[in-house]
Amino acid sequence: MSDAASAIARHLAESEALLAGMRADPALAGRIEAAAAACARAIAAGGKVLFCGNGGSAADAQHLAGELVSRFHYDRPGMAGLALTVDSSVLTAIGNDYGYEQVFARQVEALGRAGDVLVGISTSGRSPNVLRAMEAARRRDMTTIGLTGRDGGPMAALCDIELRMPSDSTPLVQQGHIVAGHVICALVEAAVCPRPG
């Protein structure tokens, strides 16, 4: 077996082990269900789900917001999801005027309302700008959902619902986040806009 083939096999085995660990954790499944229910309640009541994260987690924030706004499994009305990572003018204005740690919190202050949901994504649970956003969301009586890994970091204490992936590896935690996020999107879609017929 070539070095590349061995690396591929190792990565696939690690991914399989992560999913097995997630599947074997009924408490995690219960928290995923609770997260989906919170998002569905917010959207059904005319509210929204805000997402934030850095780097790969920023990409996940945009990905999951897109699944809500566009579609997931089937055609249905759009649902209110918004990634706080996409407006370069807003991000650079806040970063310049208030500092990078405030780039998401300021948007939560501007856009978040009681009953909305903030999904903060941080593989370590230690991203300062995500922590500030979670704090701002709690001040606004929003539900806070954290997608974390490792030991959850300081973000764990700011979450109403924490979805902690069973890994210390950043890439594997990110894989778990997108799997959990897809499950949430599917459950929200089915709850808010049931499949016709």
Side-chain angles (χ1 to χ4, degrees):
M1 183 179 288
S2 69
D3 288 347
S6 295
I8 291 166
R10 183 177 70 255
H11 284 291
L12 292 174
E14 290 170 349
S15 297
E16 184 178 26
L18 171 77
L19 292 175
M22 292 173 67
R23 189 171 58 245
D25 184 352
L28 177 60
R31 290 190 295 272
I32 291 171
E33 182 179 357
C39 293
R41 278 194 305 273
I43 292 168
K48 57 194 167 297
V49 182
L50 307 178
F51 298 87
C52 66
N54 297 285
S57 297
D60 289 344
Q62 293 163 219
H63 179 158
L64 296 173
E67 304 288 22
L68 295 179
V69 173
S70 183
R71 57 168 285 163
F72 192 67
H73 282 307
Y74 50 85
D75 291 329
R76 39 76 179 166
M79 297 185 291
L82 178 64
L84 304 180
T85 55
V86 297
D87 191 325
S88 60
S89 296
V90 167
L91 291 168
T92 54
I94 298 168
N96 185 65
D97 295 342
Y98 298 100
Y100 189 69
E101 291 186 4
Q102 298 300 321
V103 294
F104 301 138
R106 188 76 171 178
Q107 293 184 78
V108 170
E109 291 171 1
L111 302 171
R113 300 291 179 265
D116 287 348
V117 173
L118 174 68
V119 179
I121 309 173
S122 173
T123 60
S124 67
R126 290 172 167 74
S127 301
N129 55 5
V130 177
L131 296 175
R132 300 296 82 77
M134 302 288 273
E135 292 165 354
R138 289 172 78 89
R139 289 193 297 271
R140 290 213 171 298
D141 293 323
M142 298 168 60
T143 299
T144 55
I145 298 170
L147 274 63
T148 67
R150 297 184 175 86
D151 61 3
M155 195 162 88
L158 297 171
C159 297
D160 294 310
I161 304 165
E162 183 194 5
L163 306 180
R164 187 183 303 177
M165 300 302 110
S167 179
D168 292 328
S169 162
T170 294
L172 289 172
V173 171
Q174 289 174 327
Q175 289 180 47
H177 285 173
I178 208 63
V179 170
H182 275 170
V183 173
I184 289 168
C185 289
L187 293 173
V188 171
E189 183 174 69
V192 178
C193 302
R195 188 190 293 268

